[in-house]
Amino acid sequence: MKEKGNDRLYVRMLGGFSVFYGDREIILGRKSTLKFIQMLQLVWYHGEKGIHKEQLVKYLYDRADVSDSNNSVNNLMYQIRRQMAAAGLPKGEYILREDGIYRANPEFPVEVDVHQFEALLDAGGQAGTAEETRSCYEKALELYQGELLPMICTELWVLTEGLRLKNRFEECVQWLAEDAKKRSDYAAMGAYYEKAVYLYPYDGWQIGQIDVLVEKGEYKKAYEAYKEMADKYSEEIGLPPTQEMIDCYERLFEKVHGVSGEIGDIKEELKEFPGEEETGAYHCSYRGFMDICHMARRNMERTGYSLFLMLCTLIDYEGKVIQNEDKLKERSEVLREVLSDSLRKGDVYTKYNQSQYLLLLSGTNQENCGIVCQRINRRLKERLGTRAQVAYSLLSLAEI
């Protein structure tokens, strides 16, 4: 952790990049992606063991042609000296080269948050008691402010090391959460998961938060949190729930319905929109949609109803799948609204991914399914002009 007031460099690489000298933040150039800054980052990251010139050049110039690596690295060394002095730091060599190895000059001590993070995790893993481990891990968790050097996250070495550090962060959170659960400290357990959700909102950490609410007996809040997670996953990522999310729902369902219920309570749960008229086609989760399809297919022989599964895919005016993520997200939301208005009250639909929706159409035929798609495209055109339309494919549930 950064100690203010001492005349040494403190470098933050987790969740961003910043350099402090004592209490003062140092600005090294207009962009943190400049090559001389990347060289500093590499040398500082590798610490006392240093980094060999061959590896350094590979990481810095792997995607570019460098005819004279010696000259290129020497030029970066010159820029480092000049920029350090321009930033108000003492003049001198901040990087030393010895036997082809580049290291930080010990005359200018450097503390790096990554090194502190890993040292705390190592100390926690070797601690003799749970209390000592908890203390180390909580300090490490405080240091971890996000992914390694996000501004150059596409660089190969950053990708590799960033993933390794993220795995260590995840192991740290899991240990702390399980330890808190053993001690029935649900406030701490929730705080650990809250940080994980904040840093990685699409990694399923919300499941841990839901489990905390279940442990506390706050089932209503847990169910609301589950719905929010499932909607976020579906709407923003455009994928059906993961198996871990489904397992979480099953655990929640068992807890919520673990005590004797009344038919009146169940009646209230069956209401889609309490106090409002149920209009438009029925929208549900992908898991719910699959259950409805299975049940409807079983009843086909008895009811005599024909059932068609329609896959609608958003395309542009050239008939191509929309690639721009922002446009696709916007048009996908419009399509959802159009589907609700264009289908019958007894029809069911769900989002399959960002560009596709699944529809279950009952009591119709193949020709009428084409008419349904025409109606959808007409209403899409009214909302979006010629910028988007849907292509469709059909499957009769009788063929399954």
Side-chain angles (χ1 to χ4, degrees):
M1 191 172 299
K2 180 180 181 294
E3 297 179 10
K4 294 186 177 181
N6 57 358
D7 292 335
R8 63 173 56 207
L9 290 166
Y10 181 85
V11 180
R12 182 174 72 93
M13 295 189 185
L14 295 169
F17 178 69
S18 53
V19 181
F20 290 85
Y21 184 67
D23 293 328
R24 182 165 60 95
E25 183 173 3
I26 303 301
I27 306 300
L28 300 175
R30 299 185 308 277
K31 297 180 182 178
S32 58
T33 57
L34 295 171
K35 286 296 180 186
F36 83 88
I37 294 180
Q38 290 187 44
M39 181 173 176
L40 276 170
Q41 291 166 343
L42 277 161
V43 172
W44 285 338
Y45 185 85
H46 283 81
E48 293 181 359
K49 67 179 182 180
I51 180 171
H52 195 277
K53 179 191 171 185
E54 183 178 338
Q55 191 177 23
L56 179 68
V57 171
K58 178 183 177 182
Y59 287 148
L60 287 173
Y61 298 108
D62 190 40
R63 301 177 188 176
D65 294 327
V66 179
S67 56
D68 188 344
S69 60
N70 280 326
N71 187 57
S72 297
V73 172
N74 290 338
N75 182 52
L76 293 180
M77 295 275 282
Y78 168 74
Q79 290 184 55
I80 289 170
R81 288 196 302 271
R82 187 182 65 178
Q83 292 294 337
M84 291 299 214
L89 293 173
K91 293 182 179 180
E93 296 287 349
Y94 284 81
I95 295 178
L96 298 180
R97 178 184 176 184
E98 184 179 359
D99 298 328
I101 304 294
Y102 290 81
R103 296 184 180 88
N105 189 341
E107 292 183 10
F108 303 102
V110 180
E111 295 178 3
V112 182
D113 60 348
V114 175
H115 300 163
Q116 294 176 331
F117 170 71
E118 296 211 82
L120 285 165
L121 291 181
D122 292 342
Q126 298 168 9
T129 65
E131 289 77 10
E132 292 172 335
T133 299
R134 186 186 316 126
S135 175
C136 290
Y137 281 8
E138 285 182 338
K139 292 174 183 176
L141 193 65
E142 183 180 353
L143 274 172
Y144 193 93
Q145 296 300 313
E147 293 185 347
L148 176 68
L149 297 171
M151 69 294 297
I152 55 169
C153 62
T154 57
E155 296 295 329
L156 181 59
W157 77 272
V158 178
L159 280 170
T160 304
E161 288 300 298
L163 180 59
R164 184 182 65 81
L165 293 169
K166 182 185 176 185
N167 288 338
R168 299 205 70 182
F169 164 78
E170 291 173 349
E171 292 169 2
C172 176
V173 173
Q174 292 289 15
W175 189 96
L176 286 170
E178 290 170 10
D179 173 71
K181 185 176 181 179
K182 291 176 186 175
R183 296 181 289 108
S184 298
D185 188 349
Y186 299 119
M189 188 178 174
Y192 301 143
Y193 283 129
E194 183 179 358
K195 177 158 189 178
V197 169
Y198 174 74
L199 294 178
Y200 300 106
Y202 303 112
D203 281 15
W205 288 106
Q206 293 90 339
I207 293 173
Q209 291 181 311
I210 293 168
D211 287 339
V212 170
L213 292 171
V214 170
E215 291 290 340
K216 293 166 67 176
E218 299 178 9
Y219 303 131
K220 184 176 181 180
K221 286 184 178 179
Y223 183 66
E224 291 172 352
Y226 177 84
K227 286 180 63 178
E228 182 180 348
M229 173 183 66
D231 289 344
K232 187 181 185 70
Y233 199 84
S234 172
E235 295 302 319
E236 297 189 20
I237 303 181
L239 292 174
T242 64
Q243 186 60 48
E244 289 80 6
M245 292 168 64
I246 293 171
D247 293 342
C248 174
Y249 179 80
E250 297 294 341
R251 293 195 301 274
L252 177 57
F253 181 85
E254 289 177 7
K255 289 288 186 179
V256 172
H257 298 94
V259 295
S260 297
E262 300 291 338
I263 194 69
D265 297 331
I266 297 171
K267 177 183 176 182
E268 290 302 311
E269 289 182 10
L270 283 171
K271 293 181 179 179
E272 289 179 52
F273 308 104
E276 299 180 18
E277 182 182 357
E278 297 169 1
T279 59
Y282 183 67
H283 176 264
C284 63
S285 68
Y286 180 77
R287 173 67 184 271
F289 184 88
M290 288 293 105
D291 288 339
I292 291 171
C293 286
H294 294 157
M295 195 64 214
R297 187 173 64 84
R298 289 183 174 215
N299 285 325
M300 282 178 65
E301 184 176 345
R302 181 175 61 83
T303 63
Y305 276 19
S306 60
L307 291 164
F308 282 90
L309 191 65
M310 178 185 286
L311 178 63
C312 288
T313 304
L314 268 169
I315 55 176
D316 60 20
Y317 66 94
E318 294 181 335
K320 299 177 182 178
V321 175
I322 299 167
Q323 300 296 328
N324 184 287
E325 291 187 7
D326 292 336
K327 290 181 180 179
L328 183 58
K329 184 177 179 180
E330 174 193 354
R331 294 171 191 181
S332 180
E333 183 58 34
V334 173
L335 177 57
R336 175 177 171 170
E337 296 169 3
V338 166
L339 290 174
S340 178
D341 295 337
S342 301
L343 303 178
R344 296 168 301 177
K345 189 175 178 180
D347 294 330
V348 185
Y349 69 103
T350 190
K351 189 173 187 177
Y352 187 68
N353 57 45
Q354 197 72 285
S355 63
Q356 294 181 307
Y357 280 81
L358 276 169
L359 287 54
L360 181 63
L361 308 175
S362 60
T364 187
N365 55 43
Q366 192 164 344
E367 182 181 353
N368 286 335
C369 288
I371 295 173
V372 169
C373 189
Q374 290 175 14
R375 182 163 64 245
I376 293 169
N377 274 324
R378 184 171 65 252
R379 294 188 178 178
L380 261 183
K381 186 176 180 180
E382 291 171 359
R383 295 284 301 274
L384 297 171
T386 59
R387 293 175 294 169
Q389 56 183 323
V390 296
Y392 77 96
S393 52
L394 282 177
L395 174 67
S396 170
L397 260 63
E399 299 174 11
I400 300 176

